[in-house]
Structure formats: C-alpha cells, structure tokens
Amino acid sequence: MDTTSGTSPLLTPARLAGIDLPNRLVIAPMTRNRAEPSGAASALMAEYYAQRASAGLVIAEASTPNAVGQTYPNIAALHRPEHVEGWRAVTRRVAEAGGRMFLQIQHGGRVGHPATSGLTPVAPSPVALPDTIHTPGGRQPAVTPREMDRADIDGTVADFAAAARRAVDAGFLGVEVHAANGYLLHQFLAPTTNRRQDAYGGAPRNRMRFVLEVVGAVVDEIGPDRVGVRVSPGNTSNGIAETADDIAALYPGLTERLDALGPAYLHVAFADPDSRVWKEIRSRWSRTLVGNPVLPAEGIPADGGRAAGERMLEAGADLVALGRPFLANPDLVERIRTGAPVNPVRDKYLMYVGGATGYTDYPAAAL
C-alpha cells in the first residue's frame, strides 16, 4: 500500500465476500449500554449507527444469543422477537444512510451476574472472574460460574446459530462470532479458564473445539459469506491469561481450522502487526483479514488512527477496525480524507451510562 500520497489507502474501495465497501475502515463492535432493559435495540441506537454509516463496514455491538449469556445491564440481545424488531429498525436506518452492517454475537460466560440476568453464569470451568462486575445495583463481586455440561454446550451452539438467523432476518448482512476479549468462547480457548478434562479441555485441539462448533453451526445456518470471527490472542481482558507458549500452541492451528470452515473474514483484536502471532495468522488465513490496531490506552490519536490503520494495511490486513475514533467522530472517514481535527472522547464514564450525551451528540467537522 502506498501511504506517501495525500489520499490514505484506508479510503480505497474493497470487497468483502461479494459486498462492495467504499473504504477499508470498519467500526469495531463497541458495547455502549444503550439498549432497552429487555435487550431490544433502542431508537437512540438507530440514530448512533446511522450517524456512522459512512464507514466501509459497521459491526454492531455484542448481542447475546440467550438469556444466560448477558453480561451487563442494557446490553443488546438477539433471542426474542422484540430483539429482531429492535435491530430491524437500526439496520433500516443504516441502510437508508448508505451503510453496510454486520452484528457481533457474544456470550459472556463467566462475565455475568444473577443480579443482571437472573441466572447463574455458565463457563467451561467453575473459575470466577477475578474482579467485581457491573450490575443494576452497582458493582458486585463476581460469582463462581456453573461448569457447562454437554447439554449446555450443544444448546449454546444451537443458540448462536439461531441468533445468526435472527440477525439476517433483522436486516444484517452477516454476523461476527465473538471469540475474543475474555468472553465465553475465549474462556474455552484459554487454559487458565478452561480446566476441563473432557473433549473440550486440555490439549489445544480440544480447547478450540467449542469455538469451531459454534462457527461451524453459524456457517451452516446462514452461509460462510455472512460470517466473521473475532479473536484476540494474548488479550488480558476479563481476567484472561495466555502465555506466549499458549498462543503459539493454539492460534495458528485455530486459524487453519477456522479457515477451513470458510467464514468471510477473521478479525484480530488488539493486533500488533510486528508480532509473531499476527504474522502466523496472516500466513494461514486465505480470505479477508481485519486488523484492529492497538491505540493509546486513553484518548484518540490526533490523526484519528490513520497511521496505525495504514500500518495494519502494510502488514497484510485488508480492512482496519477502529473503536474510539468512530465513537467520538461519526464522520471519521471524512476527517481522515480532509485531515480535519478529531473530537476527543469527552468523558470515559459517558461511554456506558445511557442517554444521548457522549453518544449521539458528537459534532461533525466544520468543513
């Protein structure tokens, strides 16, 4: 990619499994806690996503495939008819604004609480989250999850497939299976959270089995061109711990096995383009590769993430997913095109508290 000219390669067109994308910028899925208490997407969410429809692809925030998978209050879901209707209103608004949209499906696993869902969380092993967790009554100590039996595993696989079908019915072009950031699928991959002694635990080929079953079921349900998968090797979110040896033993093989299932893209979160794992994944993945670059822990780069994104393209990514830059800049594509200054994130607290402030009130650039 030529990054020396005035036009950023991030703004060049691309294709994703037959879908024409006007640019290579992807909105990374970001939980914003603006859904209705029922889990249905709200009218405010429709406005938020429509404001950002100029991105090449919008990946809507994590939505739970069943009730026990709920993580926090006011999280979106996709397991009841009202959830389909809520999301349909969002996809309609985004399509009217010229956008293209996938939906991320996420099960929280041990990242959940009875005070939120009314249910005891489930996980590969009874290993509690080593932290407090946000609930409707404030932060509370995490509870020890119930270890999933074979019926739980089979039922959860079926729930992911059913949620994928509902997403398509709601107007999404496809779904992203969330196997990253310390949630249920990542909990199966990591040896510190998966202490099972059966076919789903122990050796790397066993720990990746659940992820492969989920992705395979989703592919069978809606077709491979409608499916993406997100992974985050080595990410320590939600108490996950993966050593360099763990990563080397699992992720290259997982990449090859996922590739064989045929999903349209693989999305690597917190990607370091100079790392061994990125290079291994790039060499083993045959279709669209989405890189989500590491940005500063606080704030937004002055260039809106342009340099980091262009570096990802140079390192072999086809598309680049950005989170906070899109959160605070609904017109990020145009700001990168023109070099206009970017809005900062005004207050991290406002990311998760509900309401329009810090959500739909970020201004477009004065051009």
Side-chain angles (χ1 to χ4, degrees), residues 29-33 45 49 59-63 76 87 103-104 359:
M30 292 177 285
T31 294
R32 301 304 307 278
N33 300 82
M45 290 168 63
Y49 284 114
I59 307 176
E61 64 206 76
S63 297
W87 276 122
L103 176 71
Q104 187 184 75
Y359 188 58

Side-chain angles (χ1 to χ4, degrees), residues 154-238:
D154 291 347
T156 303
V157 170
D159 288 342
F160 267 87
R165 173 55 59 189
R166 292 187 184 99
V168 172
D169 291 345
F172 288 98
L173 298 177
V175 302
E176 178 177 281
V177 175
H178 197 4
N181 297 11
Y183 297 105
L184 179 65
L185 274 65
H186 198 181
Q187 292 161 27
F188 269 89
L189 296 176
T192 53
T193 46
N194 183 347
R195 301 178 183 175
R196 303 174 72 95
Q197 300 299 313
D198 63 1
Y200 293 88
R205 67 179 180 276
N206 289 345
R207 284 185 275 119
M208 66 179 74
R209 187 186 307 274
F210 179 64
V211 173
L212 296 172
E213 288 183 356
V214 168
V215 174
V218 172
V219 165
D220 287 346
E221 182 65 31
I222 62 173
D225 286 354
R226 294 179 180 267
V227 181
V229 184
R230 194 183 207 204
V231 296
S232 59
N235 180 19
T236 58
S237 296
N238 292 308

Side-chain angles (χ1 to χ4, degrees), residues 125-337:
S125 300
V127 181
L129 181 73
D131 198 359
T132 58
I133 186 168
H134 183 55
T135 75
R139 298 199 70 88
Q140 296 192 40
V143 300
T144 300
R146 178 174 61 80
E147 180 170 302
M148 296 172 72
D149 60 21
R150 186 55 187 266
D152 295 318
I153 289 172
D154 291 347
T156 303
V157 170
D159 288 342
F160 267 87
R165 173 55 59 189
R166 292 187 184 99
V168 172
D169 291 345
F172 288 98
L173 298 177
V175 302
E176 178 177 281
V177 175
H178 197 4
N181 297 11
Y183 297 105
L184 179 65
L185 274 65
H186 198 181
Q187 292 161 27
F188 269 89
L189 296 176
T192 53
T193 46
N194 183 347
R195 301 178 183 175
R196 303 174 72 95
Q197 300 299 313
D198 63 1
Y200 293 88
R205 67 179 180 276
N206 289 345
R207 284 185 275 119
M208 66 179 74
R209 187 186 307 274
F210 179 64
V211 173
L212 296 172
E213 288 183 356
V214 168
V215 174
V218 172
V219 165
D220 287 346
E221 182 65 31
I222 62 173
D225 286 354
R226 294 179 180 267
V227 181
V229 184
R230 194 183 207 204
V231 296
S232 59
N235 180 19
T236 58
S237 296
N238 292 308
I240 290 291
E242 292 174 308
T243 67
D245 288 343
D246 295 331
I247 293 167
L250 187 139
Y251 283 95
L254 177 63
T255 301
E256 289 183 344
R257 288 166 175 79
L258 286 171
D259 191 69
L261 295 173
Y265 72 82
L266 183 65
H267 180 181
V268 184
F270 304 104
D272 176 358
D274 296 319
S275 68
R276 176 183 173 184
V277 67
W278 171 262
K279 294 173 182 177
E280 287 272 14
I281 289 173
R282 183 191 62 193
S283 70
R284 295 165 188 258
W285 188 256
S286 67
R287 286 174 296 282
T288 300
L289 187 58
V290 182
N292 174 211
V294 177
L295 298 180
E298 299 292 337
I300 297 172
D303 66 355
R306 172 176 172 167
E310 291 177 354
R311 176 70 187 92
M312 291 299 325
L313 295 181
E314 290 174 353
D318 301 290
L319 305 174
V320 174
L322 296 175
R324 280 171 289 147
F326 271 112
L327 179 157
N329 296 275
D331 58 341
L332 181 66
V333 173
E334 190 63 19
R335 290 176 192 260
I336 289 177
R337 187 186 310 279

